[in-house]
Amino acid sequence: MDKKDLRNIPSVSSLLETPEISEFCSSYPRSLVVSTIREVLDKLREAIGRSGTSDTDISPPAILSLVKERLLERGKVPIRRVINATGVLVHTGLGRAPLASEALEAVKDIAEGYCSLEVDLLTGKRSSRGDHVESLAVALTGAEAAMVVNNNAAAVLLALDTLARGKEVIISRSQLVEIGGSFRMPEVMAKSGAIMVEVGTTNRTYISDYRKAITLNTALILKVHSSNFRIIGFTASPELEELARMAREFEIPVMYDVGSGALFNLETYGLPYEPTVEESVRAGTDIITFSTDKLLGGPQGGLVVGKKRFIDMMKRNPLARALRIDKLTIAALEATLRLYTDKSEIAKHLPILRMLTRPLEDIEKESRRFIKELSRRSDGRITATLEDGFSAVGGGSLPGEEVPTKLVSLSTGKPSAQELSDELRQNNPPIFGRIENDRLLLDLRTVSDKADVEAILSAVLRIFGVAQ
Ligand SMILES: *Cc1c(COP(=O)(O)O)cnc(C)c1O
């Protein structure tokens, strides 16, 4: 090997000073760009070691184009399992609710072969795919009827399209929510062809505001769970029951987009109050829509429960076909809902509730062990501290309500909190924590698996350069 050839290879730092690199750094984390440059240079050294520079282009532009190619390749990583140490339980970016093992088994069983998706096994006749899920939903909520669709956004769209196309829908100004991504109530309303009639003010809306807004063209009164925000202070809004009573006088249906779909009272677990679907049914609401992958703990889906008359109309809407759910979701959702038939055992079976109700002492014990191990294995080089903090339910459940937790706080400097976070995200498996005031925080509430705790430990050790 010719040492001189190797010396001609540009250095990492000289490449980092080229203008192209700042462009790469705007699309990819800097640490990824740096490690990609190193990787490309290593490969070049290897190639030169084999055959000299004669047939290897080592000019900076050639190297940069290899770096770009490799970055593009790396950017195309497939969807994969990640470790969620953010402390956000229903994290939309990380796939919302993890499924119960009962749901996984059901999916596997159904996916492996053929299934009775649309055949009634008693009569042999054609049936509807939603039947099983829908009868469970009826049993669990006390509603007259139910319909299952792809997600809550689909449920809201279908309800508005069916009941209010070309007609007026009355909604309080305090409930014109944006859920994140692209679900914004005024826009969904516009898409469905309904005419939005806003009443009240941002903080206060009275029953009389709704009453005054009713016309011959009013098709629906819509209430929306404030999901991801909370208005506090001088506020007022009519109780659901009061709204339903008034609407009945005018024979106008009331719909409630309850968002998260709590199927039982969370207060039984010492958690903050979240409206349950059952209590919304009891209040006389005609149509209630909610997600099945938030607090409910199932796969992505949307449920509509309420009066049979309206749900039958929705089932006949041609749009329903475009919004229908597939057999894997049906299998997982049915198994998840079945767990609710024994509410006393539910927190044992459903990961989302198990994590939500995980005892603080348990999280503290695990976090202390983590900190001790980190220090032991790095000979005291890496220090982490235990901090009090909060886990968030997320996904629009319990807005503003946080659940006390214990956090592992990694003191950073070199690497910085951002670099550490970037490196953890590129670990195998990827790890997500959260950054707060230049510290990297890990909430082990959502890391229930011992092997995952171990994976975080070894990732941190590796990133800090501790040989293992
Ligand atoms: C989350 C949420 C939605 C959207 O539900 P998806 O299941 O994500 O489609 C709609 N409305 C409310 C109030 C929500 O909280």
Side-chain angles (χ1 to χ4, degrees):
M1 191 199 316
D2 189 343
K3 287 258 170 59
K4 200 170 124 264
D5 284 342
L6 284 180
R7 272 202 305 275
N8 287 337
I9 295 180
S11 67
V12 176
S13 54
S14 71
L15 288 168
L16 279 173
E17 274 160 24
T18 57
E20 286 91 327
I21 289 295
S22 57
E23 183 199 315
F24 294 174
C25 286
S26 66
S27 326
Y28 301 93
R30 191 179 165 85
S31 58
L32 180 67
V33 175
V34 174
S35 70
T36 307
I37 295 176
R38 290 218 170 91
E39 188 191 325
V40 166
L41 293 184
D42 282 347
K43 285 228 176 80
L44 282 177
R45 281 191 200 99
E46 253 177 57
I48 294 167
R50 279 195 304 271
S51 53
T53 42
S54 54
D55 44 14
T56 313
D57 189 352
I58 55 162
S59 65
I63 294 176
L64 289 172
S65 96
L66 287 172
V67 170
K68 186 166 188 175
E69 224 175 83
R70 184 75 192 107
L71 276 172
L72 283 172
E73 247 170 59
R74 280 190 157 187
K76 273 192 252 145
V77 281
I79 182 168
R80 50 194 301 205
R81 198 184 89 84
V82 307
I83 297 174
N84 174 13
T86 61
V88 181
L89 287 125
V90 179
H91 193 302
T92 298
L94 303 183
R96 293 196 180 161
L99 294 181
S101 53
E102 287 83 352
L104 295 178
E105 276 159 35
V107 170
K108 184 166 182 295
D109 189 39
I110 294 306
E112 257 169 0
Y114 296 99
C115 64
S116 60
L117 184 62
E118 293 187 354
V119 178
D120 182 328
L121 293 176
L122 282 179
T123 61
K125 293 221 171 73
R126 184 77 182 250
S127 67
S128 153
R129 60 176 57 208
D131 283 354
H132 301 285
V133 163
E134 289 160 8
S135 54
L136 271 167
V138 162
L140 290 170
T141 61
E144 280 179 17
M147 177 176 186
V148 61
V149 288
N150 232 325
N151 51 27
N152 188 21
V156 173
L157 180 68
L158 181 63
L160 290 174
D161 183 86
T162 309
L163 304 171
R165 168 164 291 276
K167 304 209 184 94
E168 291 165 7
V169 176
I170 305 176
I171 183 168
S172 161
R173 289 199 167 84
S174 65
Q175 294 167 10
L176 294 171
V177 303
E178 170 177 313
I179 305 298
S182 48
F183 188 93
R184 309 179 88 199
M185 201 36 97
E187 287 166 18
V188 175
M189 198 92 80
K191 194 76 212 168
S192 73
I195 303 156
M196 184 168 77
V197 178
E198 301 169 41
V199 296
T201 61
T202 305
N203 56 331
R204 290 173 85 87
T205 304
Y206 304 97
I207 197 83
S208 55
D209 293 322
Y210 286 94
R211 200 179 273 277
K212 274 186 286 191
I214 291 174
T215 70
L216 284 174
N217 199 29
T218 304
L220 194 66
I221 291 175
L222 176 62
K223 182 178 163 80
V224 183
H225 188 289
S226 62
S227 263
N228 45 11
F229 74 101
R230 204 161 59 153
I231 300 178
I232 53 169
F234 189 57
T235 64
S237 70
E239 293 292 327
L240 194 54
E241 218 160 293
E242 198 184 350
L243 204 56
R245 203 176 319 122
M246 190 271 300
R248 262 198 307 278
E249 268 178 53
F250 295 90
E251 294 181 12
I252 295 166
V254 170
M255 168 168 155
Y256 187 14
D257 172 8
V258 70
S260 200
L263 289 184
F264 65 91
N265 187 353
L266 294 177
E267 288 169 309
T268 16
Y269 286 106
L271 295 164
Y273 169 77
E274 170 78 16
T276 70
V277 177
E278 192 183 358
E279 111 201 352
S280 307
V281 171
R282 253 189 286 121
T285 319
D286 299 279
I287 303 125
I288 301 154
T289 72
F290 51 97
S291 302
T292 60
D293 55 346
K294 291 184 178 172
L295 262 187
L296 194 145
Q300 181 191 305
L303 270 168
V304 191
V305 302
K307 303 274 161 64
K308 186 164 186 308
R309 182 157 66 96
F310 301 118
I311 291 191
D312 283 346
M313 284 163 71
M314 289 169 69
K315 286 184 174 170
R316 287 194 299 270
N317 187 328
L319 195 53
R321 170 64 189 250
L323 306 176
R324 77 177 185 184
I325 70 173
D326 84 309
K327 60 181 181 180
L328 303 186
T329 310
I330 288 180
L333 185 53
E334 191 188 329
T336 305
L337 290 175
R338 214 170 276 293
L339 293 173
Y340 279 93
T341 51
D342 183 2
K343 291 199 174 93
S344 63
E345 293 282 299
I346 188 84
K348 268 199 217 142
H349 294 277
L350 265 187
I352 202 79
L353 292 178
R354 193 165 56 220
M355 295 187 290
L356 189 57
T357 57
R358 191 169 168 191
L360 195 56
E361 310 85 73
D362 189 21
I363 301 169
E364 173 164 357
K365 210 170 109 201
E366 192 66 36
S367 306
R368 284 195 190 282
R369 198 183 67 80
F370 184 94
I371 292 167
K372 220 165 109 189
E373 271 303 289
L374 206 54
S375 167
R376 188 182 67 78
R377 294 196 211 169
S378 67
D379 288 326
R381 266 187 52 212
I382 310 175
T383 49
T385 50
L386 190 72
E387 284 186 22
D388 288 327
F390 294 95
S391 309
V393 180
S397 325
L398 308 176
E401 302 281 3
E402 292 170 317
V403 187
T405 194
K406 297 284 176 182
L407 299 163
V408 173
S409 165
L410 280 162
S411 48
T412 50
K414 209 172 166 33
S416 69
Q418 186 60 56
E419 283 165 345
L420 187 54
S421 161
D422 288 343
E423 289 278 352
L424 285 170
R425 198 182 56 251
Q426 285 153 40
N427 186 64
N428 178 22
I431 298 159
F432 288 79
R434 63 175 197 249
I435 296 175
E436 238 175 70
N437 301 328
D438 288 329
R439 293 161 356 225
L440 187 93
L441 302 175
L442 300 170
D443 186 342
L444 298 185
R445 176 188 292 281
T446 42
V447 188
S448 336
D449 195 331
K450 290 265 186 279
D452 285 350
V453 178
E454 185 54 39
I456 304 178
L457 265 172
S458 50
V460 173
L461 289 165
R462 177 184 59 75
I463 295 163
F464 275 85
V466 177
Q468 296 175 68

